[in-house]
Amino acid sequence: RENVEKIRKKYFQTGEMKSSRVSKNHKRRIKILSDLLKLNFTIFPVVFDKTECFNMQGLLYKKTFYKFMNNIVYKELRNGFEKLTVVADEIGTSDYMKSLGEADFLFHNSKNDVLIQLADFMAGTLSFSFDKNKMSEEAPDYYKILQPKIIRLMMYPKRYDNYILDTSSITE
């Protein structure tokens, strides 16, 4: 926490360390990442293809989508950790946040939690590798850059074609 705070102060002075504040300034993002990658943390990115998810009944609504997404992430994390508390950025109303489960989810304002800011920065950085609207020739391969910190990547929704072995030597 202390080391992330030092990096936040170095690059963002008094403001939050938010990916959106760096935007497409890839040189600045790389400098920040070079400092962050020296720290002891790991990430478990879950990439949701919203276009596929919105085709599913009920997920067109923001609250339903967030609840669905949080439940998937929580279930995956629960498989690896017996005791788990998820600390997330505040979203929606307090009633909505309570509906996600008070015992297992804690919500903090990102302005007061530099680790939530770190998560925001990592998610925003990875979006350049997975969001078709953000991918560009100018953007480095952030997925490759962050690979040493990634313990596992999960794509959702899971698709059948991800499991087809059409290029494998055992196909026949």
Side-chain angles (χ1 to χ4, degrees):
R1 192 179 292 273
E2 287 176 27
N3 291 327
V4 175
E5 177 60 19
K6 287 176 187 173
I7 293 169
R8 185 205 60 76
K9 282 181 181 176
K10 178 179 177 180
Y11 293 101
F12 298 89
Q13 291 76 44
T14 58
E16 283 186 70
M17 179 172 57
K18 293 183 74 72
S19 179
S20 61
R21 292 187 66 201
V22 177
S23 190
K24 295 178 183 176
N25 185 340
H26 298 295
K27 287 182 182 179
R28 181 171 182 228
R29 186 177 295 276
I30 290 292
K31 284 181 184 177
I32 297 166
L33 284 175
S34 68
D35 283 352
L36 289 172
L37 290 173
K38 295 172 187 169
L39 304 181
N40 184 19
F41 70 92
T42 55
I43 56 176
F44 168 45
V46 181
V47 178
F48 285 85
D49 183 343
K50 290 180 186 175
T51 58
E52 293 286 327
C53 290
F54 289 156
N55 292 333
M56 297 176 185
Q57 192 67 24
L59 294 183
L60 286 170
Y61 306 101
K62 193 174 187 178
K63 287 183 180 181
T64 308
F65 177 74
Y66 277 139
K67 197 168 188 176
F68 176 78
M69 180 183 68
N70 283 324
N71 285 331
I72 286 175
V73 172
Y74 182 75
K75 181 182 171 196
E76 288 297 318
L77 289 171
R78 193 68 159 166
N79 288 333
F81 302 97
E82 188 176 312
K83 188 172 182 179
L84 176 69
T85 301
V86 176
V87 179
D89 198 0
E90 293 177 332
I91 52 172
T93 64
S94 61
D95 287 340
Y96 168 69
M97 289 187 288
K98 287 179 185 175
S99 76
L100 293 174
E102 290 181 46
D104 300 319
F105 283 91
L106 297 177
F107 293 94
H108 293 181
N109 188 315
S110 62
K111 290 177 185 170
N112 304 321
D113 194 325
V114 74
L115 296 183
I116 291 177
Q117 294 174 34
L118 173 64
D120 172 274
F121 195 79
M122 292 295 113
T125 298
L126 280 171
S127 71
F128 287 98
S129 293
F130 295 99
D131 184 341
K132 292 175 183 123
N133 297 320
K134 287 188 169 185
M135 290 178 183
S136 72
E137 294 287 325
E138 299 82 42
D141 186 350
Y142 288 116
Y143 176 69
K144 188 175 183 179
I145 292 168
L146 292 175
Q147 195 99 42
K149 295 293 183 184
I150 296 173
I151 54 174
R152 181 175 152 224
L153 172 76
M154 185 176 133
M155 304 290 283
Y156 198 87
K158 295 178 182 177
R159 295 176 31 185
Y160 175 72
D161 60 346
N162 292 340
Y163 300 99
I164 296 175
L165 301 174
D166 59 351
T167 58
S168 169
S169 60
I170 63 169
T171 302
E172 292 179 17

